[in-house]
Amino acid sequence: MKKRLTEPQFQEAIKRLDVGAQTLEIARGVLIHGKPQKEFATVLGLSRGAISQAVNRVWAAHEELNLPEGYVRVSAILPEHRAFIVKKWAEDATKKRQHKK
């Protein structure tokens, strides 16, 4: 699945981000205009990882704003056995959401 956003979605996602102009240029090019990340790595002389990180930062902000109804994102530090259980719950929830599509 290619990650794509409309300009309004992009603008909403970046409202609360503190990122530089270059990050926004990269993310806009990839997420809105569909340019390959490799193109930005070549033109800007950056690593593919740096390009990916810029795109993923904006994408993550978008996803955070667009959680399905009734869902919340959580972050926690847990004992290993409890973290295993929570990860299983997350997998189950993902599968349920995918089946609804």
Side-chain angles (χ1 to χ4, degrees), residues 20-31:
Q22 188 174 54
T23 296
L24 295 177
E25 174 190 351
I26 293 165
R28 177 179 275 108
V30 173
L31 295 171

Side-chain angles (χ1 to χ4, degrees), residues 2-101:
K2 270 197 158 189
K3 297 176 182 176
R4 295 298 297 266
L5 296 176
T6 63
E7 182 65 35
Q9 289 172 320
F10 183 84
Q11 290 301 322
E12 189 63 31
I14 66 171
K15 276 184 181 178
R16 293 167 195 83
L17 290 180
D18 183 20
V19 296
Q22 188 174 54
T23 296
L24 295 177
E25 174 190 351
I26 293 165
R28 177 179 275 108
V30 173
L31 295 171
I32 295 174
H33 302 295
K35 293 182 180 180
Q37 291 186 23
K38 183 178 179 181
E39 181 180 316
F40 284 97
T42 303
V43 170
L44 298 173
L46 297 171
S47 71
R48 287 186 182 186
I51 302 300
S52 178
Q53 187 176 24
V55 173
N56 286 337
R57 191 148 179 216
V58 174
W59 184 256
H62 166 71
E63 284 191 319
E64 187 67 34
L65 294 170
N66 292 286
L67 294 174
E69 176 117 10
Y71 285 78
V72 295
R73 185 175 311 276
V74 296
S75 175
I77 297 173
L78 302 167
E80 194 171 331
H81 67 283
R82 292 193 190 263
F84 176 82
I85 294 167
V86 172
K87 287 177 185 178
K88 286 294 182 191
W89 290 344
E91 289 172 13
D92 291 345
T94 299
K95 287 177 187 174
K96 286 179 184 176
R97 287 193 336 262
Q98 289 172 346
H99 287 300
K100 287 183 179 181
K101 291 181 180 180

